[in-house]
Amino acid sequence: MKTPLKPPFDSAGKLSSAGSRPAFPVQLNSGKGNSFATKTVAAAARATSNNGGNGQNDLKKPFQPGASDGFGLDSAVRARMVRRLAEQGVLDARVLAAMGAVQRHHFVDTALANMAYEDTSLPIGFGQTISKPSVVARMLELLQQGLTDASGRLGRVLEIGTGCGYQAAVLSHLATEVYSMERLRGLHDKARENLRPLRLANVHLLFGDGMHGFAKGAPYAAIIAAAGGEAIPPAWTEQLAVGGRLVAPLQDASGAQALAVIDRTPQGIRQTLLEAVHFVPLKSGIG
Protein backbone atom coordinates (compact mmCIF):
# COMPACT_ATOMS: atom_id res chain seq x y z
CA MET A 1 0.00 0.00 0.00
CA LYS A 2 1.33 3.39 -0.94
CA THR A 3 1.55 5.97 1.83
CA PRO A 4 -0.06 9.35 1.07
CA LEU A 5 2.32 12.30 1.10
CA LYS A 6 2.07 14.32 4.27
CA PRO A 7 3.50 17.72 5.17
CA PRO A 8 6.35 17.89 7.67
CA PHE A 9 4.84 18.35 11.12
CA ASP A 10 6.65 18.95 14.38
CA SER A 11 6.10 16.92 17.53
CA ALA A 12 3.16 19.13 18.50
CA GLY A 13 1.37 18.37 15.26
CA LYS A 14 1.99 21.84 13.81
CA LEU A 15 3.44 22.60 10.39
CA SER A 16 7.20 22.56 10.79
CA SER A 17 9.32 25.40 9.52
CA ALA A 18 11.93 22.88 8.45
CA GLY A 19 12.01 22.65 4.69
CA SER A 20 9.40 25.38 4.37
CA ARG A 21 11.56 27.60 2.21
CA PRO A 22 10.70 27.28 -1.47
CA ALA A 23 13.34 25.91 -3.79
CA PHE A 24 12.57 28.80 -6.13
CA PRO A 25 11.99 32.53 -5.55
CA VAL A 26 8.69 33.30 -3.88
CA GLN A 27 8.71 36.72 -5.54
CA LEU A 28 9.68 37.07 -9.18
CA ASN A 29 10.81 40.70 -9.07
CA SER A 30 14.09 40.11 -7.24
CA GLY A 31 16.73 42.41 -8.63
CA LYS A 32 14.41 43.85 -11.28
CA GLY A 33 12.75 46.66 -9.40
CA ASN A 34 9.51 48.48 -10.13
CA SER A 35 10.32 48.96 -13.81
CA PHE A 36 10.00 45.21 -14.41
CA ALA A 37 6.64 45.13 -12.64
CA THR A 38 5.44 48.11 -14.66
CA LYS A 39 6.46 46.52 -17.96
CA THR A 40 4.84 43.22 -17.02
CA VAL A 41 1.54 44.85 -16.11
CA ALA A 42 1.64 46.94 -19.27
CA ALA A 43 2.11 43.81 -21.36
CA ALA A 44 -0.82 42.14 -19.64
CA ALA A 45 -2.97 45.22 -20.11
CA ARG A 46 -2.12 45.33 -23.81
CA ALA A 47 -3.10 41.68 -24.14
CA THR A 48 -6.46 42.41 -22.52
CA SER A 49 -7.01 45.51 -24.64
CA ASN A 50 -5.98 43.84 -27.89
CA ASN A 51 -8.44 41.04 -27.23
CA GLY A 52 -11.34 43.43 -26.88
CA GLY A 53 -11.24 43.06 -23.10
CA ASN A 54 -12.44 39.46 -23.11
CA GLY A 55 -9.50 37.37 -24.31
CA GLN A 56 -10.62 36.66 -27.88
CA ASN A 57 -7.43 34.70 -28.61
CA ASP A 58 -8.80 31.89 -26.46
CA LEU A 59 -12.30 32.90 -25.32
CA LYS A 60 -14.97 33.29 -28.00
CA LYS A 61 -17.55 35.09 -25.94
CA PRO A 62 -20.89 36.09 -27.48
CA PHE A 63 -21.15 39.21 -25.34
CA GLN A 64 -18.94 42.27 -24.85
CA PRO A 65 -17.83 43.78 -21.54
CA GLY A 66 -18.82 47.25 -20.43
CA ALA A 67 -22.28 48.77 -20.68
CA SER A 68 -23.88 45.51 -21.81
CA ASP A 69 -22.93 43.96 -18.48
CA GLY A 70 -25.18 46.33 -16.61
CA PHE A 71 -22.42 46.87 -14.00
CA GLY A 72 -19.83 48.81 -15.98
CA LEU A 73 -17.41 45.95 -15.25
CA ASP A 74 -15.28 46.44 -18.34
CA SER A 75 -11.66 45.65 -19.13
CA ALA A 76 -10.47 48.71 -17.18
CA VAL A 77 -11.77 47.17 -13.95
CA ARG A 78 -9.93 43.94 -14.67
CA ALA A 79 -6.81 45.92 -15.57
CA ARG A 80 -6.88 47.52 -12.10
CA MET A 81 -7.15 44.05 -10.58
CA VAL A 82 -4.13 42.96 -12.62
CA ARG A 83 -2.13 45.94 -11.36
CA ARG A 84 -2.98 45.03 -7.77
CA LEU A 85 -1.87 41.44 -8.39
CA ALA A 86 1.47 42.65 -9.73
CA GLU A 87 1.91 44.92 -6.74
CA GLN A 88 1.34 41.88 -4.50
CA GLY A 89 4.16 40.02 -6.26
CA VAL A 90 2.49 38.10 -9.10
CA LEU A 91 4.61 39.08 -12.09
CA ASP A 92 4.27 36.26 -14.62
CA ALA A 93 3.04 38.07 -17.74
CA ARG A 94 1.02 35.09 -19.00
CA VAL A 95 -0.78 34.67 -15.69
CA LEU A 96 -1.54 38.39 -15.45
CA ALA A 97 -2.86 38.43 -19.02
CA ALA A 98 -5.08 35.41 -18.35
CA MET A 99 -6.44 36.98 -15.16
CA GLY A 100 -7.19 40.15 -17.08
CA ALA A 101 -8.92 38.29 -19.89
CA VAL A 102 -11.52 36.33 -17.91
CA GLN A 103 -14.62 38.16 -16.69
CA ARG A 104 -14.83 37.01 -13.07
CA HIS A 105 -18.17 38.72 -12.46
CA HIS A 106 -19.88 36.25 -14.82
CA PHE A 107 -18.96 33.43 -12.43
CA VAL A 108 -20.61 34.85 -9.30
CA ASP A 109 -24.20 35.69 -8.41
CA THR A 110 -25.52 38.94 -9.86
CA ALA A 111 -25.89 40.42 -6.38
CA LEU A 112 -22.14 39.97 -5.83
CA ALA A 113 -20.97 41.11 -9.26
CA ASN A 114 -19.75 44.51 -8.07
CA MET A 115 -17.40 42.72 -5.65
CA ALA A 116 -16.03 40.36 -8.29
CA TYR A 117 -12.72 42.20 -8.79
CA GLU A 118 -11.99 42.78 -5.12
CA ASP A 119 -9.34 40.51 -3.62
CA THR A 120 -11.83 38.43 -1.70
CA SER A 121 -13.40 35.00 -1.88
CA LEU A 122 -17.13 34.93 -2.61
CA PRO A 123 -19.83 32.31 -2.01
CA ILE A 124 -20.92 30.28 -5.05
CA GLY A 125 -23.44 28.05 -3.33
CA PHE A 126 -23.31 24.49 -1.96
CA GLY A 127 -21.09 25.68 0.89
CA GLN A 128 -18.25 26.52 -1.52
CA THR A 129 -16.46 29.72 -2.53
CA ILE A 130 -14.62 31.18 -5.48
CA SER A 131 -11.01 31.80 -4.42
CA LYS A 132 -9.46 35.24 -4.11
CA PRO A 133 -7.91 36.49 -7.38
CA SER A 134 -4.55 36.75 -5.61
CA VAL A 135 -4.70 33.09 -4.55
CA VAL A 136 -5.70 31.91 -8.03
CA ALA A 137 -2.91 33.95 -9.63
CA ARG A 138 -0.34 32.80 -7.07
CA MET A 139 -1.12 29.11 -7.61
CA LEU A 140 -1.13 29.46 -11.39
CA GLU A 141 2.18 31.30 -11.29
CA LEU A 142 3.67 28.45 -9.28
CA LEU A 143 2.46 26.02 -11.95
CA GLN A 144 3.96 28.16 -14.71
CA GLN A 145 7.44 28.20 -13.21
CA GLY A 146 9.53 25.74 -15.17
CA LEU A 147 6.57 23.92 -16.71
CA THR A 148 5.92 25.72 -19.98
CA ASP A 149 6.66 24.01 -23.29
CA ALA A 150 8.28 25.59 -26.33
CA SER A 151 5.07 27.49 -27.07
CA GLY A 152 5.13 29.07 -23.62
CA ARG A 153 2.03 27.18 -22.47
CA LEU A 154 1.43 24.59 -19.81
CA GLY A 155 0.71 21.12 -21.12
CA ARG A 156 -2.22 19.00 -19.96
CA VAL A 157 -3.54 20.14 -16.57
CA LEU A 158 -5.81 18.40 -14.05
CA GLU A 159 -7.88 20.69 -11.82
CA ILE A 160 -9.41 19.21 -8.66
CA GLY A 161 -12.49 21.22 -7.69
CA THR A 162 -14.11 22.98 -10.64
CA GLY A 163 -16.32 25.13 -8.44
CA CYS A 164 -18.05 27.76 -10.56
CA GLY A 165 -15.60 27.25 -13.44
CA TYR A 166 -13.63 30.47 -13.08
CA GLN A 167 -10.18 28.96 -12.58
CA ALA A 168 -10.77 26.51 -15.43
CA ALA A 169 -11.47 29.49 -17.69
CA VAL A 170 -8.23 31.18 -16.62
CA LEU A 171 -6.34 27.91 -17.09
CA SER A 172 -7.68 27.68 -20.65
CA HIS A 173 -5.38 30.61 -21.51
CA LEU A 174 -2.34 28.92 -20.01
CA ALA A 175 -2.68 25.20 -20.79
CA THR A 176 -3.03 23.18 -23.96
CA GLU A 177 -5.72 21.05 -22.29
CA VAL A 178 -7.63 21.26 -18.99
CA TYR A 179 -9.43 18.40 -17.23
CA SER A 180 -11.48 19.82 -14.37
CA MET A 181 -13.19 17.56 -11.80
CA GLU A 182 -16.04 18.44 -9.44
CA ARG A 183 -17.62 16.12 -6.85
CA LEU A 184 -20.79 18.17 -6.28
CA ARG A 185 -23.36 17.74 -9.04
CA GLY A 186 -24.88 21.18 -8.44
CA LEU A 187 -21.54 22.92 -8.89
CA HIS A 188 -20.60 20.78 -11.87
CA ASP A 189 -23.84 21.85 -13.57
CA LYS A 190 -23.28 25.50 -12.60
CA ALA A 191 -19.75 25.46 -14.04
CA ARG A 192 -21.02 23.89 -17.25
CA GLU A 193 -23.64 26.64 -17.54
CA ASN A 194 -21.08 29.37 -16.84
CA LEU A 195 -18.54 28.01 -19.32
CA ARG A 196 -20.89 26.99 -22.13
CA PRO A 197 -21.05 30.50 -23.70
CA LEU A 198 -17.24 30.63 -23.81
CA ARG A 199 -16.97 27.56 -26.07
CA LEU A 200 -13.59 26.53 -24.66
CA ALA A 201 -12.50 23.59 -26.78
CA ASN A 202 -9.54 22.79 -24.51
CA VAL A 203 -11.57 22.53 -21.26
CA HIS A 204 -13.21 19.23 -20.25
CA LEU A 205 -15.55 19.19 -17.24
CA LEU A 206 -15.77 15.94 -15.30
CA PHE A 207 -18.22 14.93 -12.56
CA GLY A 208 -16.56 12.57 -10.11
CA ASP A 209 -14.48 12.05 -7.00
CA GLY A 210 -11.38 14.18 -7.38
CA MET A 211 -9.51 12.11 -4.79
CA HIS A 212 -9.04 9.50 -7.52
CA GLY A 213 -7.92 12.01 -10.13
CA PHE A 214 -8.65 11.14 -13.76
CA ALA A 215 -6.36 8.36 -14.93
CA LYS A 216 -7.62 8.40 -18.52
CA GLY A 217 -6.14 11.85 -19.06
CA ALA A 218 -2.81 11.13 -17.36
CA PRO A 219 0.03 11.88 -17.29
CA TYR A 220 -0.44 15.55 -16.43
CA ALA A 221 2.14 18.29 -16.70
CA ALA A 222 0.42 20.02 -13.79
CA ILE A 223 -2.23 19.36 -11.15
CA ILE A 224 -3.94 22.06 -9.10
CA ALA A 225 -6.36 21.52 -6.22
CA ALA A 226 -8.89 23.89 -4.65
CA ALA A 227 -9.36 21.88 -1.45
CA GLY A 228 -6.96 20.78 1.26
CA GLY A 229 -6.54 17.64 3.31
CA GLU A 230 -3.90 16.20 5.62
CA ALA A 231 -2.32 14.25 2.78
CA ILE A 232 -1.96 14.39 -0.99
CA PRO A 233 -3.97 11.49 -2.49
CA PRO A 234 -1.57 8.92 -4.02
CA ALA A 235 -3.54 9.00 -7.30
CA TRP A 236 -2.51 12.59 -7.88
CA THR A 237 1.23 11.98 -7.74
CA GLU A 238 0.82 8.75 -9.72
CA GLN A 239 -0.91 10.71 -12.49
CA LEU A 240 1.65 13.53 -12.44
CA ALA A 241 4.21 13.29 -15.23
CA VAL A 242 7.91 13.15 -14.45
CA GLY A 243 8.95 16.78 -14.53
CA GLY A 244 5.42 17.82 -13.59
CA ARG A 245 4.26 19.99 -10.71
CA LEU A 246 1.34 19.81 -8.29
CA VAL A 247 0.07 22.79 -6.28
CA ALA A 248 -2.41 22.19 -3.48
CA PRO A 249 -3.17 23.19 0.12
CA LEU A 250 -2.15 20.82 2.91
CA GLN A 251 -3.36 20.95 6.49
CA ASP A 252 -1.98 19.85 9.84
CA ALA A 253 -3.82 18.14 12.69
CA SER A 254 -5.20 21.47 13.92
CA GLY A 255 -6.69 22.25 10.50
CA ALA A 256 -4.17 25.00 9.63
CA GLN A 257 -3.33 24.94 5.93
CA ALA A 258 -0.22 25.81 3.96
CA LEU A 259 0.31 25.96 0.21
CA ALA A 260 2.34 22.98 -0.98
CA VAL A 261 4.32 22.57 -4.20
CA ILE A 262 5.13 19.00 -5.19
CA ASP A 263 7.51 18.25 -8.05
CA ARG A 264 7.89 14.79 -9.55
CA THR A 265 11.51 14.50 -10.57
CA PRO A 266 13.43 11.57 -12.07
CA GLN A 267 14.83 11.04 -8.57
CA GLY A 268 11.43 11.02 -6.88
CA ILE A 269 9.01 13.40 -5.19
CA ARG A 270 10.13 16.78 -3.85
CA GLN A 271 7.74 18.71 -1.58
CA THR A 272 7.94 22.37 -0.52
CA LEU A 273 5.64 24.21 1.86
CA LEU A 274 4.96 27.90 1.32
CA GLU A 275 2.62 30.44 2.89
CA ALA A 276 -0.52 29.84 4.94
CA VAL A 277 -3.79 29.58 2.98
CA HIS A 278 -7.41 28.78 3.70
CA PHE A 279 -9.39 26.41 1.46
CA VAL A 280 -12.43 24.20 1.94
CA PRO A 281 -11.64 20.68 3.22
CA LEU A 282 -10.76 17.97 0.73
CA LYS A 283 -13.53 15.34 0.73
CA SER A 284 -14.11 12.05 -1.03
CA GLY A 285 -17.23 10.80 -2.73
CA ILE A 286 -19.78 12.64 -4.85
CA GLY A 287 -22.83 14.60 -3.84
Side-chain angles (χ1 to χ4, degrees), residues 33-114:
N34 292 333
S35 61
F36 178 72
T38 302
K39 291 177 182 177
T40 304
V41 175
R46 284 196 301 273
T48 301
S49 176
N50 292 339
N51 291 334
N54 60 357
Q56 289 296 331
N57 283 343
D58 294 304
L59 301 182
K60 300 178 180 178
K61 298 193 68 173
F63 50 80
Q64 296 294 324
S68 62
D69 294 325
F71 300 101
L73 297 172
D74 57 13
S75 59
V77 179
R78 298 197 301 283
R80 286 196 292 273
M81 179 188 72
V82 168
R83 286 195 294 272
R84 288 196 302 269
L85 292 173
E87 290 167 0
Q88 293 170 0
V90 178
L91 297 179
D92 187 291
R94 296 183 186 91
V95 172
L96 291 174
M99 295 293 292
V102 178
Q103 297 180 323
R104 190 171 184 255
H105 63 282
H106 285 291
F107 292 85
V108 300
D109 291 342
T110 302
L112 300 173
N114 281 324

Side-chain angles (χ1 to χ4, degrees), residues 63-257:
F63 50 80
Q64 296 294 324
S68 62
D69 294 325
F71 300 101
L73 297 172
D74 57 13
S75 59
V77 179
R78 298 197 301 283
R80 286 196 292 273
M81 179 188 72
V82 168
R83 286 195 294 272
R84 288 196 302 269
L85 292 173
E87 290 167 0
Q88 293 170 0
V90 178
L91 297 179
D92 187 291
R94 296 183 186 91
V95 172
L96 291 174
M99 295 293 292
V102 178
Q103 297 180 323
R104 190 171 184 255
H105 63 282
H106 285 291
F107 292 85
V108 300
D109 291 342
T110 302
L112 300 173
N114 281 324
M115 299 176 62
Y117 299 101
E118 299 299 322
D119 194 26
T120 184
S121 57
L122 296 170
I124 55 174
F126 307 93
Q128 307 297 303
T129 60
I130 181 175
S131 296
K132 294 179 181 181
S134 61
V135 172
V136 173
R138 169 70 166 142
M139 294 177 75
L140 295 182
E141 184 175 62
L142 288 170
L143 286 187
Q144 282 282 129
Q145 292 176 355
L147 290 181
T148 52
D149 59 21
S151 69
R153 296 173 69 87
L154 294 170
R156 186 181 299 124
V157 177
L158 174 63
E159 179 188 29
I160 306 297
T162 309
C164 62
Y166 171 71
Q167 185 169 262
V170 179
L171 276 168
S172 75
H173 288 261
L174 302 172
T176 56
E177 201 167 12
V178 180
Y179 287 91
S180 183
M181 298 196 71
E182 176 56 55
R183 60 177 290 272
L184 298 176
R185 170 64 74 177
L187 276 182
H188 171 75
D189 292 341
K190 175 178 281 191
R192 188 172 296 280
E193 181 180 344
N194 289 339
L195 292 169
R196 183 178 291 113
L198 308 187
R199 299 191 293 275
L200 302 176
N202 65 335
V203 174
H204 314 283
L205 299 185
L206 307 168
F207 174 64
D209 187 347
M211 295 276 282
H212 302 303
F214 184 63
K216 290 182 179 179
Y220 299 101
I223 298 176
I224 184 169
E230 293 186 4
I232 296 294
W236 296 3
T237 52
E238 289 169 2
Q239 294 171 24
L240 189 64
V242 175
R245 172 168 286 184
L246 188 158
V247 178
L250 277 178
Q251 69 181 42
D252 63 15
S254 70
Q257 294 180 343

Side-chain angles (χ1 to χ4, degrees), residues 4-9 15 160 211 225-233 236 246-260 262 271 273 277-284:
L5 285 170
K6 296 192 175 185
F9 298 127
L15 287 170
I160 306 297
M211 295 276 282
E230 293 186 4
I232 296 294
W236 296 3
L246 188 158
V247 178
L250 277 178
Q251 69 181 42
D252 63 15
S254 70
Q257 294 180 343
L259 194 60
I262 294 172
Q271 176 179 295
L273 284 179
V277 290
H278 181 69
F279 281 83
V280 296
L282 180 65
K283 297 181 179 180
S284 61

